[in-house]
Structure formats: structure tokens, C-alpha cells
Amino acid sequence: MTKPGLPKLVATDLDGTLVRSDDTVSAYTHEVLDRVRAAGIRIVGATGRGPRLTSLIRQDIRSADFLVMAQGGWVLDQAESTYLRQSWLPGSTLLPVLDALEAEVGRLSLMIEALEHDEAPLWGDFDPTWRYPVTVLPRSRAECLSGDVIKAFVRSFGHDVDDLLEVARRLIPEHVASVTQAGLDYVEICPPDVTKATGLAVVAEAVGVDPADVLVFGDMPNDLPMFGWAGWSRVAVANAHPSLLAVADEVTLTNDEDGVAVYLDKLLSR
């Protein structure tokens, strides 16, 4: 049982929120998260990273009971080592979507995430703007989309990522695919009804926690759905995207200042 006045579940984004600009998580943050879990509060890592990065996710949020990955499409119960959700998007569905986008904004760079095993490569067009270490296997668009995929990353050569996201939201019906952006130069195209909110809802149902008892942290537009879903408090780090700062209940310090840990440390000290 958690103490009165505390949330029953804490979900935090990783990159740009829990993880610092040098791609590390401080010892202080790990220590605070351990104390949160010891207080009876479940911890969820909610990230855009796909299941191919499970080992890295576990390294960055060691105390997590659940991992919500791939923007909510894959949900892993760490204690049981079982997936509660695995979502796929038919490649054939993506073909007309990409055609519609390119008719509006011009040629797009495309990378596909289709494999779930740890450290699996992406397929498609390697792009030097990708800031993380990655192996990209060159494949034609037809080869990339010949089967089901976890998600697609698309980048415009002439449009800002927020502008591309606006176009994608206008052109792609929600029943066809979900679209978002997570701080890179890419818009991510995921299966329909895949958001961090729907992923967290799977966790909440599994453990019997009401959204009103969930505290969330984030920094980018892909965190907006869980900000709309959680009810205990929605906390943005100070370095967050303007769209998130506009709807946050509270703002903590930046990721480089361990803002999530500082907030939770104060919360436990009340």
C-alpha cells in the first residue's frame, strides 16, 4: 500500500526527460527511483524506443516494473517477462500513407523498425541526422514494407519535423495509423491506437490502478497522450517542447538537472 497523498504509479519518458543530454542516468536518479519503488509505488518506463532496445531501456530505468515501448505499442511486464501488448502495422498500409505524404511535402527519408530482438537493425535509408548509434540495413521501400512492421520513421528534406507532423496528422486517418514525433528529425508512424496513453492503460488495467492515481513525466509531443490520460499530475521537464509545457500541471528542472528525481525526492519527503 502506498501512503495517502502519493500516486500509485509513476510513468516517465526516458530520452530528454529521465536521461541526460550525455545519454546517461545519474546515480542520484537511480537511487530516488529505488526509494519510490520501495514506497510501494509502481514504476513504468514509457518510451518511444522499440523492443530492439530493451536492454538499454532496462539499464536506464532499472527500477521499472513495466516497460511501455515503441510509443505504447509494446508493453512488457518485467516480473513475468511477458508482453501484455505487441502491436504491428502492415507494410501494405504504409505504402499509400507514404505516397500521400510525399505528394504534399516531397521526397521522404524512410527507416523501418520491423524486428523486436535486442539490438536488431533498422531497414531503409541511413540518415546522418540520426543521433544514436544504429545499424541500418539498406533496403528498397518495397522490401521494407513487404511484411508487418513495428513503426516507421520518416524525415522531410524540406519541412521542419513539427510541420511534417501537422501534415501527417491531417492526411493519415487515426484508424489507419498513429503519428507522433519524439525529438528527433523524424515523424514516427505507428499502428492505430498506439500511444503512450493506450500503452499505460494496459499496465493500469493489469495492476488495478486508476488513471487518477498516475503521475507522469515527459518532454515531447509523443508524451501528450499520456499527459491527457494521467490524473494525479502531469509534470514536464523545463527543457520540454512548447506543446507539452502548455498542458503540464507542473514543471520540474531540466533532464540535465535530474528534474524527475528532484521532483520525486521532494514528493517522498512530504
Side-chain angles (χ1 to χ4, degrees), residues 130-219:
W130 189 267
R131 70 173 294 264
Y132 299 108
V134 66
T135 299
V136 180
L137 299 182
R139 292 199 176 188
S140 69
R141 185 167 294 185
E143 290 173 321
C144 285
L145 302 180
S146 61
D148 293 344
V149 306
I150 295 171
K151 61 178 173 176
F153 301 89
V154 295
R155 184 173 77 88
S156 169
F157 293 92
H159 291 73
D160 174 84
V161 65
D162 284 329
D163 293 337
L164 180 60
L165 179 59
E166 185 178 338
V167 173
R169 284 176 171 162
R170 174 164 52 83
L171 293 181
I172 303 173
E174 291 184 359
H175 71 274
V176 172
S178 302
V179 294
T180 192
Q181 74 102 338
L184 300 173
D185 290 332
Y186 286 80
V187 163
E188 299 186 24
I189 305 175
C190 303
D193 199 38
V194 163
T195 68
K196 290 188 181 183
T198 60
L200 284 174
V202 171
V203 174
E205 182 176 357
V207 299
V209 170
D210 191 277
D213 293 317
V214 178
L215 163 64
V216 294
F217 297 90
D219 76 314

Coordinates of all heavy atoms in Angstrom, one line a residue, residues 130-219:
W130 N 20.5 11.1 -37.6 CA 20.1 10.2 -36.5 C 21.2 10.2 -35.5 O 22.3 9.9 -35.8 CB 19.9 8.8 -37.1 CG 19.4 7.8 -36.1 CD1 20.1 7.0 -35.3 CD2 18.0 7.5 -35.9 NE1 19.2 6.2 -34.5 CE2 17.9 6.5 -34.9 CE3 16.8 8.0 -36.4 CZ2 16.7 6.0 -34.4 CZ3 15.6 7.5 -36.0 CH2 15.6 6.5 -35.0
R131 N 20.9 10.6 -34.3 CA 21.9 10.9 -33.3 C 22.4 9.8 -32.5 O 23.3 9.9 -31.7 CB 21.4 12.1 -32.4 CG 20.3 11.7 -31.4 CD 20.1 12.9 -30.4 NE 21.2 13.1 -29.5 CZ 21.3 12.6 -28.3 NH1 20.3 11.8 -27.8 NH2 22.4 12.8 -27.5
Y132 N 21.7 8.6 -32.6 CA 22.1 7.5 -31.7 C 22.8 6.4 -32.6 O 22.6 6.3 -33.8 CB 20.8 6.9 -31.1 CG 20.1 7.8 -30.2 CD1 18.9 8.4 -30.6 CD2 20.6 8.2 -29.0 CE1 18.2 9.3 -29.7 CE2 20.0 9.1 -28.1 CZ 18.7 9.6 -28.5 OH 18.1 10.5 -27.7
P133 N 23.7 5.6 -31.9 CA 24.3 4.5 -32.6 C 23.2 3.6 -33.2 O 22.3 3.2 -32.5 CB 25.1 3.8 -31.6 CG 25.3 4.9 -30.5 CD 24.1 5.7 -30.5
V134 N 23.3 3.2 -34.5 CA 22.3 2.4 -35.1 C 22.9 1.7 -36.3 O 23.8 2.2 -37.0 CB 21.1 3.2 -35.5 CG1 21.4 4.1 -36.6 CG2 19.9 2.3 -35.9
T135 N 22.5 0.5 -36.5 CA 22.8 -0.2 -37.8 C 21.6 -0.2 -38.7 O 20.5 -0.6 -38.3 CB 23.2 -1.7 -37.5 OG1 24.3 -1.8 -36.7 CG2 23.4 -2.5 -38.8
V136 N 21.7 0.3 -39.9 CA 20.7 0.4 -40.8 C 21.0 -0.4 -42.0 O 22.1 -0.2 -42.7 CB 20.4 1.9 -41.3 CG1 19.2 1.9 -42.3 CG2 20.1 2.8 -40.1
L137 N 20.2 -1.4 -42.3 CA 20.4 -2.3 -43.5 C 19.8 -1.6 -44.7 O 18.5 -1.4 -44.7 CB 19.9 -3.7 -43.3 CG 20.5 -4.5 -42.1 CD1 19.8 -5.9 -42.0 CD2 22.0 -4.6 -42.2
P138 N 20.5 -1.3 -45.7 CA 19.9 -0.7 -46.9 C 18.9 -1.6 -47.6 O 19.2 -2.8 -47.9 CB 21.1 -0.4 -47.8 CG 22.3 -0.5 -47.0 CD 22.0 -1.5 -45.9
R139 N 17.7 -1.2 -47.7 CA 16.6 -1.9 -48.4 C 15.7 -1.0 -49.1 O 15.5 0.1 -48.7 CB 15.8 -2.7 -47.3 CG 16.5 -3.8 -46.6 CD 15.6 -4.8 -46.0 NE 16.3 -6.0 -45.4 CZ 15.7 -7.1 -44.9 NH1 14.4 -7.2 -45.0 NH2 16.4 -8.0 -44.4
S140 N 15.2 -1.5 -50.2 CA 14.3 -0.7 -51.0 C 13.0 -0.5 -50.2 O 12.7 -1.3 -49.3 CB 14.0 -1.4 -52.3 OG 13.2 -2.6 -52.1
R141 N 12.2 0.5 -50.6 CA 10.9 0.7 -49.9 C 10.0 -0.5 -50.0 O 9.4 -0.9 -49.0 CB 10.2 1.9 -50.5 CG 9.0 2.3 -49.7 CD 8.5 3.7 -50.1 NE 9.4 4.7 -49.7 CZ 9.1 6.0 -49.8 NH1 8.0 6.5 -50.3 NH2 10.0 6.9 -49.4
A142 N 10.0 -1.1 -51.2 CA 9.2 -2.3 -51.3 C 9.6 -3.5 -50.4 O 8.8 -4.2 -49.8 CB 9.2 -2.8 -52.8
E143 N 10.9 -3.6 -50.3 CA 11.5 -4.7 -49.4 C 11.1 -4.3 -47.9 O 10.8 -5.2 -47.1 CB 13.0 -4.8 -49.5 CG 13.4 -5.4 -50.8 CD 14.9 -5.4 -51.0 OE1 15.5 -4.4 -50.7 OE2 15.4 -6.4 -51.6
C144 N 11.3 -3.1 -47.5 CA 11.0 -2.6 -46.2 C 9.5 -2.9 -45.8 O 9.2 -3.2 -44.6 CB 11.3 -1.1 -46.0 SG 13.0 -0.7 -45.9
L145 N 8.6 -2.8 -46.7 CA 7.2 -2.8 -46.4 C 6.6 -4.1 -46.9 O 5.3 -4.2 -47.1 CB 6.5 -1.6 -47.1 CG 7.0 -0.2 -46.6 CD1 6.3 0.9 -47.3 CD2 7.0 -0.1 -45.1
S146 N 7.4 -5.1 -47.1 CA 6.8 -6.4 -47.6 C 6.1 -7.2 -46.5 O 5.4 -8.2 -46.8 CB 7.9 -7.3 -48.2 OG 8.9 -7.6 -47.2
G147 N 6.2 -6.8 -45.2 CA 5.6 -7.5 -44.1 C 5.1 -6.5 -43.1 O 5.1 -5.3 -43.3
D148 N 4.8 -7.1 -41.9 CA 4.4 -6.2 -40.8 C 5.6 -5.5 -40.2 O 6.7 -6.0 -40.1 CB 3.7 -7.0 -39.7 CG 2.4 -7.6 -40.2 OD1 1.8 -7.1 -41.2 OD2 1.9 -8.6 -39.5
V149 N 5.3 -4.3 -39.7 CA 6.4 -3.5 -39.0 C 6.0 -3.0 -37.7 O 4.8 -2.9 -37.4 CB 6.9 -2.3 -39.9 CG1 7.2 -2.8 -41.3 CG2 5.8 -1.2 -40.0
I150 N 6.9 -2.7 -36.9 CA 6.6 -2.1 -35.5 C 6.3 -0.6 -35.7 O 5.3 -0.1 -35.2 CB 7.8 -2.3 -34.6 CG1 8.0 -3.8 -34.3 CG2 7.6 -1.5 -33.3 CD1 9.2 -4.2 -33.5
K151 N 7.1 0.1 -36.5 CA 6.9 1.5 -36.8 C 7.8 2.0 -37.9 O 8.8 1.3 -38.2 CB 7.0 2.4 -35.6 CG 8.4 2.5 -34.9 CD 8.4 3.4 -33.7 CE 9.7 3.4 -33.0 NZ 9.8 4.4 -31.9
A152 N 7.5 3.1 -38.4 CA 8.3 3.8 -39.5 C 8.8 5.1 -39.0 O 8.0 5.8 -38.3 CB 7.5 3.9 -40.8
F153 N 10.0 5.5 -39.4 CA 10.5 6.9 -39.2 C 10.6 7.6 -40.5 O 11.3 7.0 -41.4 CB 11.9 6.8 -38.6 CG 12.0 6.0 -37.3 CD1 12.2 4.7 -37.2 CD2 11.9 6.7 -36.0 CE1 12.4 4.0 -36.0 CE2 12.0 6.0 -34.8 CZ 12.2 4.7 -34.8
V154 N 10.0 8.7 -40.7 CA 10.1 9.5 -41.9 C 10.6 10.9 -41.7 O 10.2 11.5 -40.7 CB 8.7 9.5 -42.7 CG1 8.3 8.1 -43.1 CG2 7.6 10.1 -41.8
R155 N 11.5 11.3 -42.5 CA 12.0 12.7 -42.4 C 11.9 13.4 -43.7 O 12.1 12.9 -44.8 CB 13.5 12.7 -42.0 CG 14.1 14.1 -41.8 CD 15.5 14.0 -41.2 NE 16.5 13.7 -42.2 CZ 17.1 14.6 -43.0 NH1 16.8 15.9 -42.9 NH2 18.0 14.3 -43.9
S156 N 11.4 14.7 -43.6 CA 11.3 15.5 -44.8 C 12.6 16.3 -45.0 O 13.3 16.7 -44.1 CB 10.2 16.5 -44.6 OG 10.2 17.5 -45.6
F157 N 13.0 16.4 -46.3 CA 14.2 17.2 -46.7 C 13.9 18.7 -46.7 O 14.8 19.5 -46.8 CB 14.7 16.7 -48.0 CG 15.3 15.3 -47.9 CD1 14.4 14.2 -48.2 CD2 16.5 15.0 -47.5 CE1 14.9 12.9 -48.2 CE2 17.0 13.7 -47.4 CZ 16.2 12.7 -47.8
G158 N 12.6 19.1 -46.7 CA 12.3 20.5 -46.8 C 11.4 21.0 -45.8 O 11.1 22.2 -45.8
H159 N 10.9 20.2 -44.8 CA 10.0 20.7 -43.8 C 10.5 20.3 -42.4 O 11.1 19.3 -42.2 CB 8.6 20.0 -44.0 CG 7.9 20.5 -45.3 ND1 8.3 20.1 -46.5 CD2 6.8 21.3 -45.4 CE1 7.5 20.6 -47.4 NE2 6.6 21.4 -46.8
D160 N 10.3 21.2 -41.5 CA 10.6 21.0 -40.1 C 9.7 19.8 -39.6 O 8.6 19.6 -40.1 CB 10.2 22.3 -39.3 CG 10.4 22.1 -37.8 OD1 11.5 22.2 -37.3 OD2 9.3 21.8 -37.2
V161 N 10.2 19.1 -38.6 CA 9.6 17.9 -38.1 C 8.2 18.3 -37.5 O 7.2 17.5 -37.7 CB 10.4 17.2 -37.0 CG1 10.6 18.1 -35.8 CG2 9.8 15.9 -36.7
D162 N 8.0 19.4 -36.9 CA 6.7 19.8 -36.4 C 5.7 20.1 -37.5 O 4.5 19.7 -37.4 CB 6.8 21.0 -35.4 CG 7.3 20.6 -34.1 OD1 7.1 19.5 -33.6 OD2 8.0 21.5 -33.4
D163 N 6.2 20.7 -38.6 CA 5.4 20.9 -39.8 C 5.0 19.6 -40.4 O 3.8 19.4 -40.8 CB 6.1 21.8 -40.8 CG 6.3 23.2 -40.3 OD1 5.6 23.7 -39.4 OD2 7.3 23.9 -40.7
L164 N 6.0 18.7 -40.5 CA 5.7 17.4 -41.1 C 4.6 16.6 -40.3 O 3.7 16.0 -40.8 CB 7.0 16.6 -41.2 CG 6.8 15.2 -41.8 CD1 6.3 15.2 -43.2 CD2 8.2 14.4 -41.8
L165 N 4.8 16.7 -38.9 CA 3.8 16.1 -38.1 C 2.4 16.6 -38.3 O 1.4 15.9 -38.3 CB 4.2 16.3 -36.6 CG 3.3 15.7 -35.5 CD1 3.1 14.1 -35.7 CD2 3.8 16.0 -34.1
E166 N 2.3 17.9 -38.5 CA 1.0 18.6 -38.7 C 0.4 18.0 -40.0 O -0.8 17.7 -40.1 CB 1.1 20.1 -38.8 CG -0.2 20.8 -38.9 CD 0.0 22.3 -38.9 OE1 1.1 22.8 -38.4 OE2 -0.9 23.0 -39.4
V167 N 1.2 17.9 -41.0 CA 0.7 17.4 -42.3 C 0.3 15.9 -42.1 O -0.8 15.5 -42.6 CB 1.8 17.5 -43.4 CG1 1.3 16.8 -44.7 CG2 2.1 19.0 -43.7
A168 N 1.1 15.1 -41.5 CA 0.8 13.7 -41.3 C -0.5 13.5 -40.5 O -1.3 12.7 -40.8 CB 1.9 13.0 -40.5
R169 N -0.7 14.3 -39.5 CA -2.0 14.2 -38.7 C -3.2 14.6 -39.6 O -4.3 14.0 -39.4 CB -1.9 15.1 -37.5 CG -1.0 14.6 -36.4 CD -0.9 15.5 -35.2 NE -0.2 14.9 -34.1 CZ 0.3 15.5 -33.0 NH1 0.3 16.9 -33.0 NH2 0.9 14.9 -32.1
R170 N -3.0 15.5 -40.5 CA -4.1 15.9 -41.4 C -4.4 14.8 -42.4 O -5.6 14.6 -42.8 CB -3.8 17.2 -42.0 CG -4.8 17.7 -43.1 CD -4.6 19.2 -43.4 NE -3.2 19.5 -43.7 CZ -2.7 19.3 -45.0 NH1 -3.4 18.8 -45.9 NH2 -1.4 19.7 -45.2
L171 N -3.4 14.2 -42.9 CA -3.6 13.2 -44.0 C -3.8 11.8 -43.6 O -4.4 11.0 -44.4 CB -2.3 13.3 -44.9 CG -2.0 14.6 -45.7 CD1 -0.8 14.4 -46.5 CD2 -3.2 14.9 -46.6
I172 N -3.4 11.4 -42.4 CA -3.4 10.0 -42.1 C -4.6 9.8 -41.1 O -4.5 10.3 -39.9 CB -2.1 9.5 -41.4 CG1 -1.0 9.8 -42.4 CG2 -2.2 8.0 -41.0 CD1 0.4 9.5 -41.8
P173 N -5.6 9.1 -41.4 CA -6.8 8.9 -40.5 C -6.3 8.0 -39.3 O -5.4 7.2 -39.4 CB -7.7 8.0 -41.4 CG -7.4 8.3 -42.8 CD -5.9 8.5 -42.8
E174 N -6.9 8.3 -38.2 CA -6.5 7.7 -36.9 C -6.7 6.1 -37.0 O -6.0 5.4 -36.3 CB -7.2 8.3 -35.7 CG -6.8 9.7 -35.4 CD -7.5 10.2 -34.2 OE1 -8.3 9.5 -33.6 OE2 -7.3 11.4 -33.8
H175 N -7.7 5.7 -37.7 CA -7.9 4.3 -37.8 C -6.9 3.5 -38.7 O -6.8 2.3 -38.7 CB -9.3 4.0 -38.3 CG -9.6 4.3 -39.8 ND1 -9.9 5.6 -40.2 CD2 -9.4 3.5 -40.9 CE1 -10.0 5.5 -41.5 NE2 -9.7 4.3 -42.0
V176 N -6.1 4.3 -39.4 CA -5.1 3.7 -40.3 C -3.8 3.6 -39.6 O -3.1 2.6 -39.6 CB -4.9 4.6 -41.6 CG1 -3.7 4.1 -42.4 CG2 -6.2 4.5 -42.4
A177 N -3.4 4.7 -38.9 CA -2.1 4.7 -38.2 C -2.1 5.9 -37.2 O -2.8 6.8 -37.3 CB -0.9 4.8 -39.2
S178 N -1.2 5.7 -36.2 CA -0.9 6.8 -35.2 C 0.4 7.5 -35.6 O 1.3 6.8 -36.1 CB -0.8 6.3 -33.8 OG -1.9 5.6 -33.4
V179 N 0.4 8.8 -35.5 CA 1.6 9.6 -35.8 C 2.1 10.4 -34.7 O 1.2 11.0 -33.9 CB 1.5 10.4 -37.1 CG1 1.3 9.5 -38.3 CG2 0.3 11.4 -37.0
T180 N 3.4 10.6 -34.5 CA 3.9 11.5 -33.5 C 5.3 11.9 -33.8 O 5.9 11.5 -34.8 CB 3.8 10.8 -32.1 OG1 4.1 11.7 -31.0 CG2 4.8 9.6 -32.0
Q181 N 5.9 12.6 -32.9 CA 7.4 12.9 -33.0 C 7.9 13.0 -31.6 O 7.3 13.4 -30.7 CB 7.6 14.2 -33.9 CG 7.4 15.5 -33.2 CD 8.6 16.2 -32.7 OE1 9.6 15.5 -32.5 NE2 8.5 17.5 -32.5
A182 N 9.2 12.5 -31.5 CA 9.8 12.3 -30.2 C 11.1 13.0 -30.0 O 11.9 12.7 -29.1 CB 10.0 10.8 -30.0
G183 N 11.3 14.1 -30.8 CA 12.5 14.9 -30.5 C 13.6 14.7 -31.5 O 14.6 15.5 -31.5
L184 N 13.5 13.7 -32.4 CA 14.5 13.6 -33.5 C 13.9 14.4 -34.7 O 12.9 15.1 -34.5 CB 14.7 12.1 -33.8 CG 15.2 11.2 -32.7 CD1 15.2 9.8 -33.1 CD2 16.6 11.6 -32.3
D185 N 14.5 14.2 -35.8 CA 14.0 14.9 -37.0 C 12.9 14.1 -37.7 O 12.5 14.5 -38.8 CB 15.2 15.2 -38.0 CG 16.1 16.2 -37.5 OD1 15.7 17.1 -36.7 OD2 17.3 16.1 -37.9
Y186 N 12.5 13.0 -37.1 CA 11.6 12.1 -37.7 C 10.2 12.2 -37.1 O 10.0 12.3 -35.9 CB 12.1 10.7 -37.6 CG 13.3 10.4 -38.5 CD1 14.5 10.8 -38.1 CD2 13.1 9.7 -39.6 CE1 15.6 10.5 -38.9 CE2 14.2 9.4 -40.5 CZ 15.5 9.8 -40.1 OH 16.5 9.5 -40.9
V187 N 9.2 12.0 -38.0 CA 7.8 11.7 -37.6 C 7.7 10.2 -37.6 O 8.2 9.5 -38.4 CB 6.8 12.3 -38.6 CG1 5.4 11.6 -38.4 CG2 6.6 13.8 -38.4
E188 N 7.2 9.7 -36.5 CA 7.0 8.2 -36.3 C 5.6 7.8 -36.7 O 4.6 8.4 -36.2 CB 7.4 7.8 -34.9 CG 8.8 8.2 -34.6 CD 9.3 7.6 -33.2 OE1 8.7 6.6 -32.7 OE2 10.2 8.2 -32.7
I189 N 5.5 6.8 -37.5 CA 4.2 6.2 -37.9 C 4.0 4.9 -37.3 O 4.8 3.9 -37.5 CB 4.1 6.1 -39.4 CG1 4.3 7.5 -40.1 CG2 2.7 5.7 -39.8 CD1 4.4 7.5 -41.6
C190 N 3.0 4.7 -36.4 CA 2.8 3.5 -35.6 C 1.5 2.9 -35.9 O 0.6 3.5 -36.6 CB 2.9 3.9 -34.1 SG 4.4 4.6 -33.6
P191 N 1.2 1.7 -35.4 CA -0.1 1.1 -35.6 C -1.2 2.0 -35.1 O -1.0 2.8 -34.2 CB 0.0 -0.2 -34.9 CG 1.4 -0.6 -34.9 CD 2.1 0.8 -34.8
P192 N -2.4 1.8 -35.5 CA -3.5 2.7 -35.0 C -3.8 2.4 -33.5 O -3.5 1.3 -33.0 CB -4.8 2.2 -35.8 CG -4.4 0.9 -36.4 CD -2.9 0.9 -36.6
D193 N -4.2 3.4 -32.8 CA -4.5 3.3 -31.3 C -3.2 3.0 -30.5 O -3.3 2.4 -29.4 CB -5.6 2.2 -31.1 CG -6.2 2.4 -29.7 OD1 -6.4 3.6 -29.3 OD2 -6.5 1.4 -29.0
V194 N -2.1 3.3 -31.1 CA -0.8 3.2 -30.3 C -0.3 4.5 -29.9 O 0.0 5.4 -30.7 CB 0.2 2.5 -31.2 CG1 1.6 2.7 -30.6 CG2 0.0 1.0 -31.3
T195 N -0.4 4.8 -28.6 CA 0.1 6.0 -27.9 C 0.6 5.5 -26.6 O 0.3 4.4 -26.1 CB -0.9 7.1 -27.7 OG1 -1.9 6.6 -26.8 CG2 -1.6 7.4 -29.0
K196 N 1.4 6.4 -25.9 CA 1.8 6.1 -24.6 C 0.6 6.0 -23.6 O 0.7 5.2 -22.6 CB 2.8 7.1 -24.0 CG 4.2 7.1 -24.7 CD 5.2 8.0 -24.1 CE 6.5 7.9 -24.8 NZ 7.5 8.8 -24.1
A197 N -0.5 6.7 -23.9 CA -1.7 6.6 -23.1 C -2.3 5.2 -23.2 O -2.7 4.6 -22.2 CB -2.7 7.6 -23.5
T198 N -2.4 4.6 -24.4 CA -3.0 3.3 -24.6 C -2.1 2.2 -24.0 O -2.6 1.2 -23.5 CB -3.4 3.0 -26.0 OG1 -2.2 3.1 -26.8 CG2 -4.4 4.0 -26.6
G199 N -0.8 2.4 -24.1 CA 0.1 1.5 -23.5 C 0.1 1.5 -22.0 O 0.0 0.5 -21.3
L200 N 0.0 2.7 -21.4 CA -0.1 2.8 -19.9 C -1.5 2.3 -19.5 O -1.6 1.7 -18.4 CB 0.0 4.3 -19.5 CG 1.4 4.8 -19.5 CD1 1.4 6.3 -19.2 CD2 2.3 4.1 -18.5
A201 N -2.5 2.4 -20.3 CA -3.8 1.9 -19.9 C -3.8 0.4 -19.7 O -4.4 -0.2 -18.9 CB -4.9 2.3 -20.9
V202 N -2.9 -0.3 -20.6 CA -2.7 -1.8 -20.4 C -2.1 -2.1 -19.1 O -2.6 -3.0 -18.4 CB -1.9 -2.3 -21.6 CG1 -1.5 -3.7 -21.4 CG2 -2.6 -2.1 -22.9
V203 N -1.1 -1.3 -18.7 CA -0.5 -1.5 -17.4 C -1.5 -1.3 -16.3 O -1.6 -2.1 -15.3 CB 0.8 -0.6 -17.2 CG1 1.3 -0.7 -15.8 CG2 1.8 -1.0 -18.3
A204 N -2.2 -0.1 -16.3 CA -3.1 0.2 -15.3 C -4.2 -0.8 -15.1 O -4.5 -1.2 -13.9 CB -3.7 1.6 -15.6
E205 N -4.7 -1.4 -16.2 CA -5.7 -2.4 -16.0 C -5.1 -3.7 -15.4 O -5.7 -4.3 -14.6 CB -6.3 -2.7 -17.4 CG -7.4 -3.8 -17.4 CD -8.0 -4.0 -18.7 OE1 -7.6 -3.4 -19.7 OE2 -8.9 -4.9 -18.8
A206 N -3.9 -4.0 -15.8 CA -3.2 -5.2 -15.3 C -3.0 -5.2 -13.8 O -3.1 -6.2 -13.1 CB -1.9 -5.5 -16.0
V207 N -2.7 -4.0 -13.2 CA -2.4 -3.9 -11.8 C -3.5 -3.2 -11.0 O -3.4 -3.0 -9.8 CB -1.1 -3.1 -11.6 CG1 0.1 -3.8 -12.3 CG2 -1.2 -1.6 -12.1
G208 N -4.6 -2.8 -11.7 CA -5.8 -2.3 -11.0 C -5.6 -0.9 -10.5 O -6.0 -0.6 -9.4
V209 N -4.9 0.0 -11.2 CA -4.6 1.3 -10.8 C -5.5 2.3 -11.7 O -5.5 2.1 -13.0 CB -3.1 1.7 -11.0 CG1 -2.9 3.2 -10.8 CG2 -2.3 1.0 -9.9
D210 N -6.2 3.2 -11.1 CA -7.0 4.2 -11.9 C -6.0 5.3 -12.4 O -5.1 5.7 -11.8 CB -8.0 4.8 -10.9 CG -9.0 5.6 -11.6 OD1 -8.7 6.8 -12.0 OD2 -10.1 5.1 -11.9
P211 N -6.3 5.8 -13.6 CA -5.5 6.9 -14.2 C -5.4 8.1 -13.3 O -4.4 8.8 -13.3 CB -6.3 7.2 -15.5 CG -7.0 6.0 -15.9 CD -7.4 5.3 -14.6
A212 N -6.4 8.3 -12.4 CA -6.4 9.4 -11.5 C -5.2 9.2 -10.4 O -4.9 10.2 -9.8 CB -7.7 9.5 -10.7
D213 N -4.7 8.0 -10.3 CA -3.6 7.8 -9.4 C -2.2 7.7 -10.0 O -1.3 7.1 -9.5 CB -3.9 6.5 -8.6 CG -5.1 6.6 -7.7 OD1 -5.2 7.7 -7.0 OD2 -5.9 5.7 -7.6
V214 N -2.2 8.1 -11.3 CA -0.9 8.0 -12.1 C -0.2 9.4 -12.2 O -0.9 10.3 -12.7 CB -1.2 7.4 -13.4 CG1 0.1 7.3 -14.3 CG2 -1.8 6.0 -13.3
L215 N 1.1 9.4 -11.9 CA 1.9 10.6 -12.1 C 2.8 10.3 -13.3 O 3.4 9.3 -13.4 CB 2.7 10.8 -10.9 CG 4.0 11.7 -11.0 CD1 3.6 13.2 -11.3 CD2 4.8 11.7 -9.7
V216 N 2.9 11.3 -14.3 CA 3.7 11.1 -15.5 C 4.7 12.3 -15.7 O 4.4 13.4 -15.3 CB 2.8 10.9 -16.7 CG1 2.0 9.6 -16.7 CG2 1.9 12.1 -17.0
F217 N 5.8 11.9 -16.3 CA 6.8 12.9 -16.7 C 7.1 12.8 -18.2 O 7.2 11.7 -18.7 CB 8.1 12.7 -15.9 CG 8.0 12.8 -14.4 CD1 7.7 11.7 -13.6 CD2 8.3 14.0 -13.8 CE1 7.6 11.8 -12.2 CE2 8.2 14.1 -12.4 CZ 7.9 13.0 -11.6
G218 N 7.3 14.0 -18.8 CA 7.7 13.9 -20.2 C 8.3 15.2 -20.7 O 8.4 16.2 -20.0
D219 N 8.6 15.1 -22.1 CA 9.3 16.3 -22.7 C 8.9 16.6 -24.1 O 9.1 17.7 -24.6 CB 10.8 16.2 -22.6 CG 11.3 15.2 -23.6 OD1 10.8 14.1 -23.8 OD2 12.3 15.6 -24.3

